[in-house]
Amino acid sequence: MFSKACEYGIRASTYIALQSLEGRRVSLKEIAEEIDSPVAFTAKILQQLSKNQIVDSLKGAAGGFEIQRSGIDRIKLSEIVYAIDGDTIYTGCGLGLKKCNANKPCPVHDKFVQIRDDLRYMLENTSLYEMTVGLEVGLTYLKR
Amino acid sequence: MFSKACEYGIRASTYIALQSLEGRRVSLKEIAEEIDSPVAFTAKILQQLSKNQIVDSLKGAAGGFEIQRSGIDRIKLSEIVYAIDGDTIYTGCGLGLKKCNANKPCPVHDKFVQIRDDLRYMLENTSLYEMTVGLEVGLTYLKR
DNA sequence: TTTAAATCGGACAAATATGTCCTAATAAAA
DNA sequence: TTTTATTAGGACATATTTGTCCGATTTAAA
Ligand code: FES
Ligand code: FES
């Protein structure tokens, strides 16, 4: 569904949001540990998320990553997915034709578009805050 | 969503089904041309589909690929996807945890499972025959 | 029986995604 | 001012996916 990079990106953003809610800024090392991802690779992804203004990064000792409270409420999963995987998930054809196109649809177009739109709706309506809710109380997990 | 191999596999199977309905056996070359796919790569995929009894292959001059009428009605997209991409689409976690697991769910589990099950239902209930219906009358396309 | 047209299957090649390493830049603390 | 802890970014390495090539095998037709 999503690339590994995107999966790590969502998990990382969610962990940063969770800690930011407690007022804690977190380091790359801690993030990678808590979401069980390769450290250096996660660094690249966080750079990308920082450039796309999804997370804030601070260099130097006592630096790290954080997300403003306003961001935690505002940022939706769709923005993270878009920053890392682009829009292929929305514009791509299920059978791999150049672009999805209702005027010259592939045989699964109608059915595929329904599912894709459900996915889109879900991503566009799930905020980082919502992602953190179950984590605090141990109902959901970012690693196993 | 699906791998390239899987996309080619579905397009190829659909084209073979379409021609088989007319009693025509088709060659690799013709298939690749009609679905706009790399010939040699398509050959590998057809081998896999043949081993999984999704298409019938006949060697030698006047050989080629075909699907029995009974198969065209019986074979669902889910079988093609399974033969090529396996079951990751059904068992995988949306955020990349080792396996999707309702007992230790990731933060998107509930929403993701809904969409995944819709996709599964769609694949399990779309037959090759259904795929060919729009093609004959120019309502749908396998290439552009 | 020979030739031609086709799939099969293994080895190879290229492209992309995933992941690592090292140095530079930055900023707080000693 | 020096040291230490951190992110930034480029170059490199590895794994996976995608794609190619070619000889072997099969079968129908000449
Ligand atoms: S054309 Fe294939 S999904 Fe729209
Ligand atoms: S655990 Fe992540 S989708 Fe089920």
Side-chain angles (χ1 to χ4, degrees):
Chain A
M1 185 77 80
F2 307 122
S3 68
K4 277 286 161 199
C6 190
E7 292 173 350
Y8 295 148
I10 295 174
R11 304 222 301 272
S13 302
T14 302
Y15 182 73
I16 296 167
L18 178 69
Q19 295 304 320
S20 291
L21 284 174
E22 315 273 316
R24 296 187 59 235
R25 181 181 300 160
V26 287
S27 72
L28 165 64
K29 206 180 140 194
E30 176 181 341
I31 295 168
E33 203 148 289
E34 292 298 325
I35 69 170
D36 190 24
S37 67
V39 178
F41 191 44
T42 306
K44 299 293 184 196
I45 297 159
L46 286 169
Q47 274 181 48
Q48 224 176 324
L49 292 176
S50 175
K51 280 181 191 158
N52 283 273
Q53 287 145 0
I54 287 166
V55 305
D56 296 333
S57 81
L58 290 99
K59 280 185 172 181
F65 298 89
E66 61 187 18
I67 307 179
Q68 303 299 316
R69 172 65 217 221
S70 56
I72 296 175
D73 288 321
R74 191 189 61 248
I75 296 165
K76 303 297 191 297
L77 288 189
S78 54
E79 300 171 58
I80 302 175
V81 172
Y82 184 80
I84 299 179
D85 281 352
D87 65 354
T88 51
I89 200 170
Y90 301 135
T91 62
C93 162
L95 295 192
L97 304 192
K98 314 285 178 185
K99 276 183 98 175
C100 175
N101 175 353
N103 290 98
K104 279 201 160 194
C106 73
V108 297
H109 176 82
D110 288 356
K111 294 177 171 186
F112 187 77
V113 163
Q114 274 188 39
I115 289 161
R116 200 180 57 186
D117 284 353
D118 286 348
L119 177 61
R120 178 186 218 137
Y121 182 88
M122 187 270 268
L123 295 175
E124 287 180 349
N125 289 281
T126 303
S127 68
L128 275 181
Y129 179 75
E130 195 175 340
M131 295 288 285
T132 68
V133 173
L135 284 171
E136 309 173 33
V137 293
L139 274 178
T140 59
Y141 302 82
L142 289 176
K143 70 168 174 180
R144 273 194 237 111
Chain B
M1 185 76 79
F2 308 121
S3 68
K4 277 285 163 199
C6 191
E7 293 172 350
Y8 295 147
I10 295 174
R11 304 222 301 270
S13 302
T14 303
Y15 182 72
I16 296 168
L18 177 69
Q19 295 304 320
S20 291
L21 283 174
E22 314 272 317
R24 293 188 62 235
R25 180 181 301 161
V26 287
S27 73
L28 164 65
K29 206 180 141 195
E30 176 181 342
I31 295 167
E33 202 147 288
E34 292 298 325
I35 70 171
D36 190 24
S37 66
V39 179
F41 191 43
T42 305
K44 300 292 184 196
I45 297 159
L46 286 170
Q47 274 182 49
Q48 226 177 323
L49 292 176
S50 176
K51 279 179 192 159
N52 284 272
Q53 287 143 1
I54 288 166
V55 305
D56 296 332
S57 80
L58 290 99
K59 281 185 168 182
F65 298 89
E66 61 186 20
I67 306 179
Q68 304 298 318
R69 173 64 217 223
S70 57
I72 296 175
D73 288 322
R74 192 189 59 247
I75 296 165
K76 303 296 191 298
L77 287 189
S78 54
E79 300 171 58
I80 301 175
V81 172
Y82 185 80
I84 299 179
D85 282 352
D87 65 354
T88 52
I89 199 171
Y90 300 135
T91 63
C93 163
L95 296 191
L97 304 193
K98 315 284 177 182
K99 276 184 98 176
C100 175
N101 175 354
N103 290 100
K104 279 201 158 193
C106 74
V108 296
H109 175 83
D110 287 357
K111 294 177 171 183
F112 187 76
V113 164
Q114 274 187 38
I115 289 161
R116 201 180 56 186
D117 285 352
D118 285 348
L119 177 61
R120 177 186 218 137
Y121 183 87
M122 186 269 267
L123 295 175
E124 287 180 350
N125 289 279
T126 304
S127 68
L128 275 181
Y129 179 75
E130 197 176 339
M131 295 288 287
T132 67
V133 173
L135 285 170
E136 309 171 33
V137 293
L139 274 178
T140 60
Y141 301 82
L142 290 176
K143 69 168 176 179
R144 274 195 235 107

